[in-house]
C-alpha cells in the first residue's frame, strides 16, 4: 500500500467517525417534547432531556409519572404507561385534575424554581427550532 492510499483510508475513517459523532450530537441536542396533545401549539415543543431528568429525579419515575387516589399521592406507583394528557385534558372539567398546559408548567417550572436550577423563562424551554 502506498502512502497516499493509506492517507485516503485514514481520511475516510476520520470522516466516518466525525460524521457519526456529529449525528449523535445533533440527536441529543434536539431532544424536546412533542406538543401533539395541544390542538394547535403556539410554541415550539419544550426542550427536555428525559434521560438527564431521570437522573435528576433520583430514578423515581413517579416524581413526574404520578398516581393519585382520592387526592392522595400513591407512593411507589407510577403511570409512565400513560400520557399526561390521558388524565390532564386540555380544558378544565369535573374529572380533570388540572388542564394540560398548567400541569406541564407546574411540574417543570416548580421543580426548577424549588431547586434554583433549570430554566424558568418561556424562551429557555420553548427554544426556537
Ligand atoms: C420549564 C419549561 C417551560 C417554561 C419555562 C415554559 N414552558 Fe410552556 N410548556 C412547557 C411544556 C413542557 C409544555 C407542554 C407542551 C410542550 O411539550 O411544549 C408547555 C406548553 C405550553 C403551551 C401550550 C402548548 C402550545 O404551544 O400552545 C403554551 C402556550 C406555553 N407553554 C407557553 C409558555 C409561556 C408563554 C411561557 C413563559 C411565560 C412558558 N410556556 C414557559 C414547558 C415550559
Ligand atoms: C422529570 C419528569 C420525568 C421523570 C422523572 C420521568 N419521566 Fe418519563 N416522561 C416525562 C414526560 C414529560 C413524558 C412525555 C409525556 C407525554 O407525552 O404525555 C415522558 C414520557 C415517558 C414515556 C413515553 C410514554 C409515551 O408513550 O409517551 C415513558 C415510557 C417514560 N416516560 C418512562 C419513564 C420511566 C420508566 C421513568 C423513571 C425511570 C421516567 N419516565 C421518569 C417526564 C418524566
Ligand atoms: C393517571 C392519571 C395522571 C397522569 C398520567 C398524570 N397525572 Fe398529574 N395529576 C393527576 C391527579 C388526579 C392530580 C390531582 C391531585 C389532587 O387532587 O391534588 C394530578 C396533579 C398534578 C399536578 C399538581 C400537583 C403537583 O404534583 O404539583 C401537576 C403539576 C401534574 N399533575 C402534572 C402532570 C404531568 C406533567 C404529567 C405527565 C408527566 C401528569 N401529571 C400525569 C393525575 C395524573
Ligand atoms: C424533579 C425536578 C425537575 C423536574 C420535574 C423537571 N426538571 Fe428540568 N431540570 C431540573 C434540574 C435540577 C435542572 C438543572 C440541571 C443542570 O443544570 O445540571 C434541569 C434542567 C432543565 C433544562 C436545561 C437543560 C440544560 O442542558 O441546560 C431544561 C430545558 C429542562 N430542565 C426542561 C424541563 C421540562 C420541560 C420539564 C417538564 C417536562 C422539566 N424540566 C422538569 C429539574 C427538574
Amino acid at each position: 500500500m502506498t502512502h497516499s492510499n493509506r492517507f485516503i483510508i485514514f481520511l475516510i475513517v476520520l470522516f466516518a467517525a466525525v460524521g457519526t459523532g456529529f449525528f449523535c450530537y445533533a440527536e441529543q441536542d434536539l431532544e424536546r417534547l412533542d406538543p401533539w396533545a395541544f390542538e394547535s401549539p403556539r410554541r415550539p415543543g419544550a426542550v427536555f432531556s428525559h434521560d438527564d431528568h431521570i437522573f435528576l429525579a433520583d430514578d423515581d419515575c413517579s416524581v413526574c409519572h404520578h398516581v393519585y387516589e382520592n387526592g392522595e399521592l400513591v407512593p411507589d406507583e407510577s403511570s409512565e404507561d400513560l400520557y399526561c394528557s390521558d388524565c390532564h385534558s386540555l380544558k378544565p372539567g369535573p374529572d380533570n385534575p388540572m388542564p394540560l398546559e398548567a400541569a406541564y408548567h407546574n411540574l417543570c417550572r416548580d421543580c426548577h424554581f424549588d431547586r434554583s436550577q433549570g430554566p424558568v423563562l418561556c424562551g429557555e424551554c420553548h427554544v426556537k427550532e
Side-chain angles (χ1 to χ4, degrees):
M1 206 187 301
T2 63
H3 264 305
S4 63
N5 272 346
R6 274 199 209 158
F7 186 63
I8 286 164
I9 289 168
F10 167 76
L11 279 184
I12 290 168
V13 171
L14 179 75
F15 280 123
V18 170
T20 25
F22 176 77
F23 285 117
C24 291
Y25 178 75
E27 202 171 70
Q28 273 230 320
D29 201 35
L30 289 175
E31 277 183 280
R32 61 169 81 224
L33 292 167
D34 181 345
W36 61 270
F38 296 87
E39 274 151 15
S40 43
R42 286 162 288 162
R43 297 253 166 185
V47 175
F48 178 64
S49 162
H50 195 257
D51 278 356
D52 289 354
H53 278 81
I54 290 177
F55 173 76
L56 292 167
D58 297 325
D59 285 326
D60 183 357
C61 313
S62 68
V63 168
C64 302
H65 300 286
H66 48 218
V67 175
Y68 282 91
E69 240 170 58
N70 308 318
E72 299 285 323
L73 189 65
V74 186
D76 302 324
E77 253 197 70
S78 63
S79 57
E80 73 261 10
D81 51 338
L82 296 170
Y83 296 114
C84 308
S85 53
D86 286 333
C87 300
H88 297 276
S89 45
L90 288 178
K91 303 264 182 295
D95 298 326
N96 187 2
M98 185 183 280
L100 188 61
E101 187 181 324
Y104 272 112
H105 285 153
N106 291 358
L107 180 80
C108 309
R109 227 168 15 195
D110 284 4
C111 182
H112 295 167
F113 267 123
D114 292 346
R115 300 202 186 181
S116 308
Q117 250 186 319
V120 293
L121 301 176
C122 317
E124 293 177 311
C125 284
H126 299 287
V127 178
K128 284 208 189 82
E129 278 168 283

Short mmCIF file of all heavy atoms in Angstrom, two decimals, residues 9-38:
data_model
loop_
_atom_site.label_atom_id
_atom_site.label_comp_id
_atom_site.label_asym_id
_atom_site.label_seq_id
_atom_site.Cartn_x
_atom_site.Cartn_y
_atom_site.Cartn_z
N ILE A 9 -7.47 6.27 3.09
CA ILE A 9 -8.23 5.42 4.02
C ILE A 9 -8.36 6.12 5.37
O ILE A 9 -9.45 6.16 5.96
CB ILE A 9 -7.55 4.03 4.17
CG1 ILE A 9 -7.74 3.26 2.88
CG2 ILE A 9 -8.16 3.26 5.34
CD1 ILE A 9 -6.91 2.02 2.75
N PHE A 10 -7.27 6.74 5.80
CA PHE A 10 -7.30 7.49 7.05
C PHE A 10 -8.38 8.57 7.01
O PHE A 10 -9.17 8.73 7.93
CB PHE A 10 -5.91 8.11 7.31
CG PHE A 10 -5.91 9.14 8.38
CD1 PHE A 10 -5.97 8.79 9.72
CD2 PHE A 10 -5.85 10.50 8.05
CE1 PHE A 10 -5.99 9.75 10.72
CE2 PHE A 10 -5.86 11.46 9.04
CZ PHE A 10 -5.93 11.08 10.38
N LEU A 11 -8.44 9.26 5.86
CA LEU A 11 -9.44 10.33 5.73
C LEU A 11 -10.85 9.77 5.78
O LEU A 11 -11.75 10.34 6.43
CB LEU A 11 -9.24 11.07 4.39
CG LEU A 11 -8.14 12.13 4.36
CD1 LEU A 11 -8.14 12.84 3.01
CD2 LEU A 11 -8.34 13.14 5.49
N ILE A 12 -11.07 8.61 5.11
CA ILE A 12 -12.42 8.03 5.09
C ILE A 12 -12.84 7.66 6.51
O ILE A 12 -13.94 7.97 6.95
CB ILE A 12 -12.45 6.78 4.17
CG1 ILE A 12 -12.30 7.20 2.71
CG2 ILE A 12 -13.76 6.00 4.36
CD1 ILE A 12 -12.04 6.07 1.74
N VAL A 13 -11.91 7.02 7.25
CA VAL A 13 -12.21 6.62 8.62
C VAL A 13 -12.48 7.86 9.47
O VAL A 13 -13.44 7.90 10.25
CB VAL A 13 -11.05 5.77 9.21
CG1 VAL A 13 -11.27 5.54 10.70
CG2 VAL A 13 -10.94 4.46 8.46
N LEU A 14 -11.67 8.87 9.28
CA LEU A 14 -11.83 10.09 10.05
C LEU A 14 -13.21 10.72 9.80
O LEU A 14 -13.94 11.05 10.72
CB LEU A 14 -10.72 11.09 9.68
CG LEU A 14 -10.82 12.42 10.42
CD1 LEU A 14 -10.35 12.26 11.86
CD2 LEU A 14 -9.98 13.49 9.74
N PHE A 15 -13.58 10.81 8.51
CA PHE A 15 -14.87 11.44 8.19
C PHE A 15 -16.03 10.60 8.72
O PHE A 15 -17.03 11.13 9.20
CB PHE A 15 -15.00 11.67 6.69
CG PHE A 15 -14.27 12.90 6.24
CD1 PHE A 15 -13.30 12.85 5.25
CD2 PHE A 15 -14.54 14.14 6.83
CE1 PHE A 15 -12.61 13.99 4.86
CE2 PHE A 15 -13.85 15.28 6.44
CZ PHE A 15 -12.89 15.20 5.45
N ALA A 16 -15.89 9.27 8.66
CA ALA A 16 -16.95 8.40 9.17
C ALA A 16 -17.13 8.66 10.67
O ALA A 16 -18.25 8.80 11.15
CB ALA A 16 -16.61 6.94 8.90
N ALA A 17 -16.01 8.75 11.38
CA ALA A 17 -16.07 8.95 12.83
C ALA A 17 -16.67 10.31 13.16
O ALA A 17 -17.58 10.43 13.99
CB ALA A 17 -14.67 8.83 13.44
N VAL A 18 -16.20 11.32 12.46
CA VAL A 18 -16.72 12.67 12.70
C VAL A 18 -18.20 12.70 12.34
O VAL A 18 -19.02 13.27 13.05
CB VAL A 18 -15.92 13.72 11.89
CG1 VAL A 18 -16.62 15.06 11.94
CG2 VAL A 18 -14.50 13.83 12.41
N GLY A 19 -18.55 12.02 11.24
CA GLY A 19 -19.94 12.00 10.77
C GLY A 19 -20.87 11.42 11.81
O GLY A 19 -21.84 12.04 12.21
N THR A 20 -20.55 10.20 12.32
CA THR A 20 -21.44 9.59 13.33
C THR A 20 -21.45 10.45 14.58
O THR A 20 -22.51 10.62 15.19
CB THR A 20 -21.00 8.16 13.71
OG1 THR A 20 -19.62 8.04 13.45
CG2 THR A 20 -21.79 7.12 12.98
N GLY A 21 -20.31 10.97 14.96
CA GLY A 21 -20.23 11.81 16.15
C GLY A 21 -21.17 12.99 16.00
O GLY A 21 -21.93 13.31 16.90
N PHE A 22 -21.14 13.59 14.84
CA PHE A 22 -21.97 14.76 14.60
C PHE A 22 -23.46 14.41 14.72
O PHE A 22 -24.22 15.09 15.38
CB PHE A 22 -21.69 15.35 13.21
CG PHE A 22 -22.59 16.50 12.89
CD1 PHE A 22 -22.36 17.74 13.45
CD2 PHE A 22 -23.68 16.34 12.07
CE1 PHE A 22 -23.21 18.81 13.19
CE2 PHE A 22 -24.53 17.38 11.80
CZ PHE A 22 -24.29 18.63 12.37
N PHE A 23 -23.85 13.27 14.13
CA PHE A 23 -25.28 12.93 14.17
C PHE A 23 -25.73 12.60 15.59
O PHE A 23 -26.82 12.96 15.99
CB PHE A 23 -25.59 11.80 13.19
CG PHE A 23 -25.61 12.28 11.77
CD1 PHE A 23 -24.71 11.81 10.84
CD2 PHE A 23 -26.51 13.27 11.38
CE1 PHE A 23 -24.71 12.29 9.54
CE2 PHE A 23 -26.52 13.76 10.08
CZ PHE A 23 -25.62 13.27 9.15
N CYS A 24 -24.87 11.90 16.35
CA CYS A 24 -25.23 11.59 17.74
C CYS A 24 -25.45 12.89 18.48
O CYS A 24 -26.40 13.07 19.21
CB CYS A 24 -24.13 10.82 18.45
SG CYS A 24 -23.96 9.17 17.82
N TYR A 25 -24.54 13.84 18.28
CA TYR A 25 -24.62 15.11 18.98
C TYR A 25 -25.91 15.83 18.59
O TYR A 25 -26.67 16.29 19.42
CB TYR A 25 -23.41 15.99 18.66
CG TYR A 25 -23.51 17.32 19.33
CD1 TYR A 25 -23.28 17.46 20.69
CD2 TYR A 25 -23.91 18.43 18.60
CE1 TYR A 25 -23.43 18.68 21.30
CE2 TYR A 25 -24.06 19.66 19.21
CZ TYR A 25 -23.81 19.77 20.57
OH TYR A 25 -23.97 20.98 21.19
N ALA A 26 -26.18 15.85 17.28
CA ALA A 26 -27.35 16.57 16.79
C ALA A 26 -28.63 15.97 17.39
O ALA A 26 -29.54 16.69 17.79
CB ALA A 26 -27.42 16.50 15.27
N GLU A 27 -28.67 14.63 17.54
CA GLU A 27 -29.86 13.98 18.05
C GLU A 27 -30.08 14.37 19.51
O GLU A 27 -31.17 14.72 19.92
CB GLU A 27 -29.66 12.49 17.92
CG GLU A 27 -30.94 11.69 17.90
CD GLU A 27 -30.64 10.26 17.55
OE1 GLU A 27 -30.03 9.58 18.38
OE2 GLU A 27 -30.97 9.86 16.44
N GLN A 28 -28.99 14.34 20.29
CA GLN A 28 -29.06 14.70 21.70
C GLN A 28 -29.52 16.14 21.86
O GLN A 28 -30.33 16.45 22.71
CB GLN A 28 -27.66 14.59 22.30
CG GLN A 28 -27.35 13.22 22.79
CD GLN A 28 -26.82 13.26 24.19
OE1 GLN A 28 -26.05 14.14 24.52
NE2 GLN A 28 -27.25 12.35 25.02
N ASP A 29 -28.94 16.98 21.01
CA ASP A 29 -29.17 18.40 21.10
C ASP A 29 -30.64 18.73 20.87
O ASP A 29 -31.15 19.70 21.38
CB ASP A 29 -28.31 19.07 20.03
CG ASP A 29 -28.09 20.51 20.34
OD1 ASP A 29 -27.97 20.84 21.53
OD2 ASP A 29 -28.02 21.31 19.39
N LEU A 30 -31.32 17.90 20.09
CA LEU A 30 -32.68 18.24 19.69
C LEU A 30 -33.73 17.50 20.50
O LEU A 30 -34.87 17.44 20.09
CB LEU A 30 -32.88 17.94 18.20
CG LEU A 30 -32.14 18.90 17.28
CD1 LEU A 30 -32.28 18.48 15.84
CD2 LEU A 30 -32.64 20.32 17.47
N GLU A 31 -33.35 16.96 21.65
CA GLU A 31 -34.35 16.27 22.47
C GLU A 31 -35.35 17.29 22.96
O GLU A 31 -35.01 18.20 23.71
CB GLU A 31 -33.68 15.61 23.67
CG GLU A 31 -33.10 14.26 23.34
CD GLU A 31 -32.52 13.63 24.58
OE1 GLU A 31 -31.41 14.00 24.96
OE2 GLU A 31 -33.21 12.80 25.19
N ARG A 32 -36.56 17.12 22.55
CA ARG A 32 -37.61 18.02 23.05
C ARG A 32 -38.94 17.29 23.03
O ARG A 32 -39.12 16.30 22.33
CB ARG A 32 -37.65 19.31 22.26
CG ARG A 32 -37.96 19.16 20.79
CD ARG A 32 -38.24 20.50 20.14
NE ARG A 32 -37.05 21.27 19.78
CZ ARG A 32 -36.92 22.57 20.00
NH1 ARG A 32 -37.87 23.25 20.56
NH2 ARG A 32 -35.83 23.18 19.60
N LEU A 33 -39.90 17.80 23.80
CA LEU A 33 -41.21 17.18 23.85
C LEU A 33 -42.01 17.58 22.62
O LEU A 33 -41.86 18.69 22.11
CB LEU A 33 -41.95 17.62 25.12
CG LEU A 33 -41.35 17.08 26.43
CD1 LEU A 33 -41.94 17.83 27.62
CD2 LEU A 33 -41.60 15.59 26.57
N ASP A 34 -42.85 16.69 22.18
CA ASP A 34 -43.71 16.95 21.03
C ASP A 34 -45.07 17.39 21.56
O ASP A 34 -45.75 16.63 22.24
CB ASP A 34 -43.83 15.64 20.23
CG ASP A 34 -44.67 15.79 18.99
OD1 ASP A 34 -45.39 16.81 18.88
OD2 ASP A 34 -44.63 14.89 18.15
N PRO A 35 -45.46 18.64 21.28
CA PRO A 35 -46.72 19.13 21.86
C PRO A 35 -47.96 18.63 21.12
O PRO A 35 -48.94 19.36 20.97
CB PRO A 35 -46.56 20.66 21.75
CG PRO A 35 -45.68 20.86 20.57
CD PRO A 35 -44.78 19.65 20.46
N TRP A 36 -47.94 17.35 20.69
CA TRP A 36 -49.02 16.81 19.86
C TRP A 36 -50.39 16.88 20.54
O TRP A 36 -51.41 16.97 19.86
CB TRP A 36 -48.70 15.35 19.47
CG TRP A 36 -48.57 14.45 20.66
CD1 TRP A 36 -47.42 14.19 21.35
CD2 TRP A 36 -49.61 13.73 21.33
NE1 TRP A 36 -47.67 13.35 22.41
CE2 TRP A 36 -49.02 13.04 22.41
CE3 TRP A 36 -50.99 13.58 21.13
CZ2 TRP A 36 -49.74 12.24 23.29
CZ3 TRP A 36 -51.71 12.78 22.00
CH2 TRP A 36 -51.09 12.11 23.07
N ALA A 37 -50.42 16.83 21.88
CA ALA A 37 -51.72 16.78 22.56
C ALA A 37 -52.46 18.12 22.55
O ALA A 37 -53.63 18.19 22.89
CB ALA A 37 -51.53 16.30 24.00
N PHE A 38 -51.74 19.19 22.17
CA PHE A 38 -52.37 20.51 22.07
C PHE A 38 -52.92 20.68 20.66
O PHE A 38 -52.24 20.35 19.69
CB PHE A 38 -51.37 21.61 22.41
CG PHE A 38 -50.89 21.55 23.83
CD1 PHE A 38 -49.81 20.75 24.18
CD2 PHE A 38 -51.55 22.26 24.83
CE1 PHE A 38 -49.39 20.66 25.50
CE2 PHE A 38 -51.12 22.17 26.15
CZ PHE A 38 -50.05 21.38 26.49
#
